[in-house]
Amino acid sequence: MVNTGEVFDIVDEQDRIIGQAHRSLCHGNPDLIHRVAHVLVLNSRGEVLLQKRSMTKDVQPGRWDTSVGGHLNPGESYRCGAIREMREELGISVADPIFLYAYKMRNDFESENIATYLVRHDGEVYPEPGEIDQVRFFSRQDIEEHLGKAFFTPNFEDEWARFSRIESFLSVTEM
């Protein structure tokens, strides 16, 4: 269920905390920049775990999205947020995800500063009911075939483009 009572740190363009606001104010007001952690979960075959967002979500319900994505709690670091969100959303406990990159996502609905991490996981996942309707691993070919067809969230399509640009520099198949 959507918790509109959540409070986010509001940051400036340099990612410095300048205040706080409720989630319900941040979503719908792109002037309120807030922080988000993403995690791309890859299995040993190089497939990417994606989640189908619950139909109850206030943003992009029913679309496939990044393995893990969540807003940071007030005062929380991106790394700690990524670790917490992996545990909460998928039941995955990883102490040291690999930092990939940070970027600014801006659109007419919201503004987020995002840090993306990578983990390798071949074990069980336990999707959080109410947040996630389904999870599954996608091959790179599966992802490429669905791009631009309103199957994925626009945020994931942007994330995939970023990841694809650096992927050849990573030894993700040897992690």
Side-chain angles (χ1 to χ4, degrees):
M1 200 56 70
V2 175
N3 178 2
T4 57
E6 287 178 274
V7 174
F8 303 153
D9 284 335
I10 302 303
V11 298
D12 64 15
E13 286 293 336
Q14 289 72 44
D15 206 42
R16 297 178 298 224
I17 298 171
I18 58 171
Q20 292 185 332
H22 286 274
R23 173 191 187 107
S24 58
L25 295 176
C26 294
H27 288 170
N29 184 349
D31 292 331
L32 299 175
I33 305 167
H34 50 286
R35 294 172 167 170
V36 172
H38 284 183
V39 181
L40 293 171
V41 177
L42 276 69
N43 65 19
S44 57
R45 293 183 304 277
E47 297 168 322
V48 181
L49 182 74
L50 298 180
Q51 62 168 278
K52 187 173 184 185
R53 297 173 61 81
S54 169
M55 292 303 291
T56 64
K57 298 293 280 182
D58 62 336
V59 179
Q60 300 291 329
R63 288 210 181 162
W64 288 90
D65 203 359
T66 305
S67 310
V68 173
H71 297 95
L72 302 188
N73 290 330
E76 187 174 44
S77 71
Y78 287 99
R79 180 175 297 282
C80 288
I83 292 168
R84 176 184 52 77
E85 289 287 341
M86 275 190 297
R87 189 176 57 252
E88 289 177 3
E89 290 187 5
L90 298 175
I92 297 174
S93 293
V94 175
D96 198 21
I98 299 166
F99 175 76
L100 293 179
Y101 44 77
Y103 63 100
K104 298 175 181 182
M105 190 279 305
R106 308 289 188 259
N107 59 42
D108 293 340
F109 182 72
E110 66 181 335
S111 295
E112 297 178 334
N113 288 355
I114 300 170
T116 299
Y117 295 84
L118 176 72
V119 300
R120 169 81 65 210
H121 183 76
D122 284 308
E124 293 292 319
V125 295
Y126 304 94
E128 176 63 33
E131 292 280 329
I132 301 170
D133 283 348
Q134 185 181 352
V135 295
R136 77 170 240 230
F137 282 98
F138 284 76
S139 70
R140 285 160 177 73
Q141 181 179 345
D142 289 339
I143 292 171
E144 296 294 331
E145 288 174 2
H146 286 91
L147 291 173
K149 298 179 181 174
F151 184 79
F152 299 121
T153 65
N155 292 14
F156 174 71
E157 291 200 5
D158 180 68
E159 184 80 59
W160 183 251
R162 291 172 192 281
F163 179 68
S164 295
R165 285 193 297 271
I166 69 158
E167 182 182 19
S168 62
F169 298 105
L170 301 172
S171 57
V172 294
T173 58
E174 300 173 11
M175 284 178 51

